[in-house]
Amino acid sequence: MTPELGHFALILALCVSLVQGILPIFGAQYGRREWIVLARPAAQVVFLLMAASFVALAWSFYLNDFSVQYVAEHSNAQLPTLYRFGAVWGGHEGSLLLWVFMLSSWTVAVAQFSRTLDETMVARVIGVLGLVTSGLLLFVLFTSNPFNRLLPAAENGRDLNPLLQDPGLVFHPPMLYMGYVGFAVAFAFAIAALLSGRLDAAWARWSRPWTTAAWVFLTLGIALGSWWAYYELGWGGWWFWDPVENASFMPWLLGTALLHSLAVTEKRGSFKSWTVLLAIGAFSLSLLGTFLVRSGVLTSVHAFATDPRRGIFILVLLLLVVGSSLALFAWRAPKVALGGSFALVSRESLLLTGNVLLVVACASVLLGTLYPLIIDALKLGKISVGPPYFNAVFVPIMAPVLFLMAAVPLARWKNADAKDIALRMWIPGGLALLAGILVPRFMGGWMAMTALGVALSVWIAASGVIQIARRLKSGVPPASFWGMHLGHFGIAVFVFGVTMVGSYQEEQDVRMEPGDTVLVGGYQFKMIGVKDEPGPNYSASRGEFEVTPAGGGAVNLLYPEKRNYFSSTMPMTEAAIDAGFTRDVYVSLGEPLEGKAWAVRVYFKPFVDWIWGGCLIMALGGLFAVSDRRYRLRVKSGAADAGAGALKVATP
Amino acid sequence: MKAKFLIPLALFGILVVFLAVGLRLDPHEVPSPLINKPAPAFKVTQLEQPELQFSPEDLKGKVWLFNVWASWCVACRQEHPVLMEFARLQVAPLVGLDYKDQRKDAFGVLRRSGNPYDIIAFDGDGRVGIDYGVYGVPESYVIDKAGVIRYKHIGPITTEALQKTIIPLINELKKS
């Protein structure tokens, strides 16, 4: 009964979302208030229905109702409860349901937190979100219904893919989807602005916190995925330029560009059509990512079952959403008034340069991801594009971005003095140079790329510190100031981590017997032995290793595992990692060899955790920026006395 | 309407056309001109014993599976347990071609994850691979008693492909 209720709620949600999508937009266009006011309650009802539907599916998983096909395919009687919840989005149907549920959550949040905004604007935004929701709901109901029954019921489920049975992966998809879907809000604001013809500072200010919030989730989602790949796949890598990874990274790049472009539009009224285009682009890439992942047009290590009907459906959806918004853009954007002019050297011009570089970086990732498909479609053969392409193309594009981002906050709006910026940057510049020369030597080997990475990260961090110190002299800065600098500092930490791991990691594959030792990265690894350990739905071989710093010191025990899940023939590697501030020590079990010997992989990964630490700091910066008071204090024009007063205090 | 504002729409249009065409293609399916043709002859040294050589001639009269792999190939790691399973079942000889690789690296992989192969031919400069039309690793060929290629599998062999296609085909070829 519960699955039918969920299914029914889904159908009702579709009906209400059509109301939410059509009436408010027409109401706003023709000034019919009785239709405009429908937007909020409709959004709330859709949210409740989607929540009901989602809970129904989760409940079926909790009960392990194997008469539901989706549950039978992704759960198992032995599957621990936590993973049964994770399994709700462990497959195609459920992850799409999560997608739509999140979209409705964002919509209801917009409805809730935009009480101070212009009523017709909110109606348009909610309306656009309603149209997107109904499109995706049609997709779920017609091609990917998670509530389909399996009669007669299966005796036991096929179990969740063992790769996904991991706490990191329980939270990775929701975070990622929150980010993907969150860009729908920025998109809806952009479309609403195009529809109304009101592309002004107010519009930019409204969409900024939403865009930043989506960006925060996306950052965390990507970081979680990368972290998961690092410790679960057992290869010690953290990014593989896999099509599915790229699908999440492209919206991030455009979203980052959008964040900065929105700042210019809010503060200076410039870049309006560019900002709108970025907002459309970021969400389009989220949809494109969904298409690439779900249609199976590309091969990837994330192997998903494919169904051609789904691919066609998403393609049509993509065509409708993106095509119509780009057509709207071509129609309305030329009428948008130009913003303030700016000089060749100004904060605007520097931000625009960084923006263009980010877009180019995104385009190069898109090209690399789609190139195999394009070549195949042109019947020129079959090829695959791998990390060498991405590293060769991506790094040179991003290096100038990193160089610029340190200086941009120093540049004045409209017209900046290049000499003045250079004068103020000599300390960070000197520190960067010094670090670039010294740090690689100290780490054991100077390489040009290593020096560049270290120098850039010190350059960013040091200029941030100097700018903060300067700013503190004139009172306490607002949260958004801290947000920006935290975000940039996160990038510095990230770049440092990437550079160090890339340059100085050590790896050894060895055959080890109990009692054997191996020396890697200044640590001595001693194999104690491998024992069999039963798990809830798998059996494992659990190794025990003693790790001692070569110079003497505390002994650390590590327990890597090799798991055989009952439901799968593929053994899973659970690496054992001794994480540290300046290095990770990483042991993973390979295959059992003759006797008591095992193939063992031992890694020394200097500063690897800085990669995800940097992402966390970036996300924290985003949170600070969202929490800035000025987003909350703006009251409708006119009665803004209290708000303006508080604003004066907040931004002296 | 200014033309430059139409550029994004036009670019998107081109993208959609490619995506639509791409939908009809199966990225896994590649026709091989070598099917039902004699397996190209070669003679190269073996990986583990460089003093010995291997040639497809050596296996005339047997049905065998020829698997192209390399230590640098990530998908091969995914395929590896399936090959181990194949070796355990002892259906047919499994010959590896270590493609564009360094002996040292290849040894590392075999030592760490086990060696499913009966013989490994070493193709350091990739010449044998060119003759066999290898453009993605891993690739596998089923070669019959007369030395004719009967089947080509692109990409990692899955358990399903092994059980449903490759092993039945080998068993059938063995009977003839």
Side-chain angles (χ1 to χ4, degrees), chain A residues 299 330 370 382 509 591 599, chain B residues 1 15 26 28-29 112-113:
Chain A
T299 41
L370 292 183
K382 302 240 179 188
D509 297 317
E591 303 287 323
Chain B
M1 198 188 296
L15 180 68
D26 180 352
H28 296 282
E29 181 200 330
R112 138 176 111 223
S113 16

Side-chain angles (χ1 to χ4, degrees), chain A residues 24-267:
Chain A
I25 290 184
F26 277 101
Q29 220 61 20
Y30 299 111
R32 300 190 62 158
R33 224 191 109 65
E34 69 274 22
W35 287 1
I36 291 177
V37 294
L38 274 177
R40 279 207 176 87
Q44 286 156 348
V45 171
V46 171
F47 169 74
L48 289 178
L49 288 168
M50 284 309 301
S53 168
F54 194 77
V55 167
L57 187 61
W59 187 249
S60 305
F61 266 99
Y62 179 68
L63 297 178
N64 261 337
D65 181 352
F66 295 130
S67 70
V68 177
Q69 188 170 5
Y70 181 72
V71 177
E73 278 166 12
H74 296 94
S75 184
N76 184 281
Q78 268 97 44
L79 190 66
T81 313
L82 172 72
Y83 296 131
R84 269 186 244 159
F85 286 112
V88 174
W89 51 82
H92 168 82
E93 290 86 347
S95 55
L96 270 171
L97 188 69
L98 181 70
W99 217 102
V100 188
F101 175 50
M102 297 217 152
L103 185 56
S104 69
S105 317
W106 279 103
T107 311
V108 87
V110 172
Q112 227 56 39
F113 297 115
S114 58
R115 301 256 176 230
T116 56
L117 263 61
D118 173 36
E119 194 77 23
T120 41
M121 182 75 176
V122 175
R124 286 198 174 101
V125 171
I126 292 179
V128 172
L129 289 168
L131 287 178
V132 178
T133 310
S134 41
L136 280 157
L137 275 174
L138 280 171
F139 180 50
V140 173
L141 283 168
F142 283 114
T143 70
S144 326
N145 188 346
F147 296 109
N148 280 345
R149 287 283 193 176
L150 180 67
L151 293 173
E155 219 148 276
N156 201 346
R158 237 189 271 163
D159 206 356
L160 180 64
N161 182 348
L163 267 178
L164 307 184
Q165 296 188 28
D166 177 87
L169 220 72
V170 171
F171 300 106
H172 161 65
M175 283 287 176
L176 204 62
Y177 286 177
M178 278 300 268
Y180 265 1
V181 180
F183 283 132
V185 179
F187 166 80
F189 269 100
I191 297 298
L194 280 178
L195 283 173
S196 69
R198 262 188 65 193
L199 282 157
D200 49 15
W203 154 70
R205 189 171 50 248
W206 292 336
S207 35
R208 266 185 92 180
W210 297 102
T211 311
T212 312
W215 180 89
V216 166
F217 281 114
L218 191 58
T219 307
L220 288 176
I222 296 175
L224 263 177
S226 149
W227 183 55
W228 166 79
Y230 169 72
Y231 71 76
E232 181 73 21
L233 294 182
W235 303 335
W238 57 276
W239 191 260
F240 300 95
W241 294 109
D242 178 86
V244 172
E245 287 175 330
N246 294 347
S248 67
F249 190 45
M250 290 186 286
W252 189 89
L253 286 170
L254 273 205
T256 310
L258 175 62
L259 285 185
H260 294 87
S261 176
L262 273 171
V264 182
T265 308
E266 186 201 346
K267 293 265 161 67

Side-chain angles (χ1 to χ4, degrees), chain A residues 385-548:
Chain A
V385 178
Y389 162 82
F390 290 105
N391 292 336
V393 172
F394 190 72
V395 174
I397 299 174
M398 288 311 275
V401 176
L402 298 175
F403 178 77
L404 276 181
M405 62 183 270
V408 174
L410 275 176
R412 260 177 238 264
W413 293 111
K414 209 164 175 188
N415 194 353
D417 185 357
K419 210 185 282 174
D420 178 52
I421 300 174
L423 270 179
R424 281 199 252 150
M425 289 303 277
W426 73 267
I427 298 181
L431 283 175
L433 213 61
L434 210 63
I437 294 169
L438 291 182
V439 172
R441 288 208 183 284
F442 174 74
M443 287 297 294
W446 194 88
M447 285 166 280
M449 286 309 279
T450 315
L452 179 70
V454 172
L456 281 173
S457 101
V458 171
W459 162 255
I460 296 167
S463 62
V465 170
I466 284 174
Q467 286 160 30
I468 291 170
R470 257 174 57 89
R471 179 66 179 74
L472 281 176
K473 283 183 201 152
S474 49
V476 182
S480 61
F481 174 87
W482 292 111
M484 173 190 72
H485 279 294
L486 265 178
H488 285 191
F489 186 67
I491 296 270
V493 172
F494 172 84
V495 170
F496 189 77
V498 172
T499 309
M500 285 295 134
V501 175
S503 309
Y504 303 112
Q505 62 178 343
E506 285 181 38
E507 174 186 344
Q508 279 220 11
D509 297 317
V510 282
R511 176 187 174 281
M512 287 181 97
E513 272 180 53
D516 282 357
T517 60
V518 59
L519 198 70
V520 174
Y523 287 85
Q524 183 183 302
F525 296 77
K526 182 176 181 192
M527 179 167 176
I528 307 293
V530 178
K531 275 194 291 232
D532 288 336
E533 295 257 336
N537 52 348
Y538 59 85
S539 64
S541 306
R542 189 160 182 261
E544 188 178 1
F545 289 81
E546 246 179 40
V547 183
T548 340

